[in-house]
Amino acid sequence: MTASDPATGPQPAPDLAPTARGVRSAAFFDLDKTVIAKSSALAFNKPFAAEGLLGRRAVLRSSYAQFLFLVSGADHDQVDRLRAHLTQMCAGWDVEQVKAIVAETLHDIVTPLIFAEAADLITGHKLCGRDVVVVSASGAEIVAPIARALGATHAMATQMVVEDGKYTGEIEFYCFGEGKAQAIRELAAREGYALEHCYAYSDSITDLPMLQTVGHPTAVRPDRALRKEATARGWPILTFSRPVALRDRLPAPSGAAVATSAAVAVTALAAGALSYTLLRRFVF
């Protein structure tokens, strides 16, 4: 299901035994570079440009930002610069147009970037009766459809301020750093999760607050700072390296289901015929 990190030697894989009877728990997954191989916020550059939302200069700047995101560790300063770039870029965009573009292009743009190991791990947690929560600093209009495609129960993401159906360029809630940890605690209180029985996965030191919130933290393809922290704390370190087209693993939803972002979808996961009722309720 998962692979130990060769750079640190054999590491114990997360214990996916079912949670104790009567105890509710969840597995929290960072999205970018943990579940998918690149930045979800920048993955839609081409369709956004094709629909007139991005000019050539903005596409080039976004491509450069994507390159920096992939080749360097995402420290707080880099993430803040990326956040500022993205919020400035989308100011004035029509929210419904963004949702429509994401819905129409999701399975072509993002799902081929899903790490097979992450998809297997998500399946394993669901088989053990845990909720699955995708937690990302990217915008909710992008994160929520990806989370639904993965079969997640909830999605937590950055919320942009919207006025008259358009983004203002300001942020209502930034799902980053301590913000992720606080959102997890609030969700756990609402859903009755026992955080000591919950799991969390991330690649970045910026998600240390999230990882510290749960009883079973795991570093995935960690940056240097998180690798050092995980090694010192004895946390499992996993390597995900096989992006796979999710449509090869999950039946693609109908056009109507994709377009209706709040609808309940049913899909098959793994090799069996087990079905799940997806999307009980998204946080955002």
Side-chain angles (χ1 to χ4, degrees):
M1 180 181 295
T2 57
S4 60
D5 193 308
T8 59
Q11 294 286 331
D15 179 10
L16 298 188
T19 303
R21 192 171 185 178
V23 176
R24 293 204 68 203
S25 65
F28 298 91
F29 287 83
D30 171 54
L31 183 59
D32 299 349
K33 297 173 71 175
T34 301
V35 174
I36 66 174
K38 65 191 300 184
S39 165
S40 55
L42 298 174
F44 292 90
N45 282 347
K46 288 184 178 180
F48 286 161
E51 294 295 325
L53 295 179
L54 288 177
R56 182 179 179 184
R57 188 173 185 179
V59 170
L60 291 174
R61 288 184 62 192
S62 295
S63 298
Y64 179 64
Q66 180 73 265
F67 170 75
L68 292 179
F69 181 82
L70 290 174
V71 301
S72 62
D75 61 25
H76 284 79
D77 290 341
Q78 289 170 325
V79 174
D80 278 341
R81 287 196 295 271
L82 180 59
R83 173 191 58 80
H85 165 68
L86 293 174
T87 54
Q88 180 184 25
M89 181 177 68
C90 72
W93 288 7
D94 183 272
V95 176
E96 292 305 316
Q97 183 182 11
V98 170
K99 289 181 179 180
I101 293 171
V102 172
E104 291 168 3
T105 61
L106 176 67
H107 283 276
D108 293 325
I109 300 297
V110 173
T111 56
L113 304 172
I114 305 293
F115 286 116
E117 300 93 338
D120 288 343
L121 196 54
I122 288 171
T123 298
H125 280 297
K126 291 176 71 68
L127 287 169
C128 290
R130 296 185 190 94
D131 286 354
V132 171
V133 184
V134 173
V135 190
S136 176
S138 294
E141 287 75 22
I142 290 175
V143 176
I146 296 173
R148 279 193 291 275
L150 290 166
T153 315
H154 301 279
M156 295 189 287
T158 294
Q159 288 284 97
M160 299 289 292
V161 176
V162 177
E163 292 182 0
D164 298 324
K166 299 182 184 298
Y167 298 116
T168 67
E170 298 177 347
I171 293 178
E172 180 178 339
F173 168 68
Y174 189 25
C175 193
F176 174 74
E178 180 57 37
K180 283 188 178 182
Q182 182 59 34
I184 287 172
R185 288 190 290 268
E186 292 175 359
L187 178 64
R190 289 196 298 271
E191 294 292 327
Y193 299 145
L195 285 172
E196 66 271 22
H197 292 286
C198 290
Y199 294 69
Y201 301 86
S202 179
D203 70 293
S204 174
I205 190 62
T206 63
D207 283 335
L208 185 60
M210 177 179 86
L211 294 169
Q212 292 174 317
T213 300
V214 302
H216 301 279
T218 297
V220 177
R221 307 172 72 245
D223 58 31
R224 183 177 300 177
L226 181 58
R227 181 185 298 278
K228 181 178 179 180
E229 193 73 29
T231 300
R233 293 170 181 257
W235 292 348
I237 299 176
L238 303 179
T239 296
F240 296 169
S241 58
R242 295 187 294 117
V244 64
L246 198 62
R247 65 174 55 191
D248 293 339
R249 306 171 59 86
L250 308 178
S254 67
V258 171
T260 309
S261 62
V264 176
V266 176
T267 186
L269 286 171
L274 182 63
S275 295
Y276 302 92
T277 302
L278 305 180
L279 188 62
R280 288 212 310 268
R281 179 173 59 81
F282 273 71
V283 175
F284 297 116

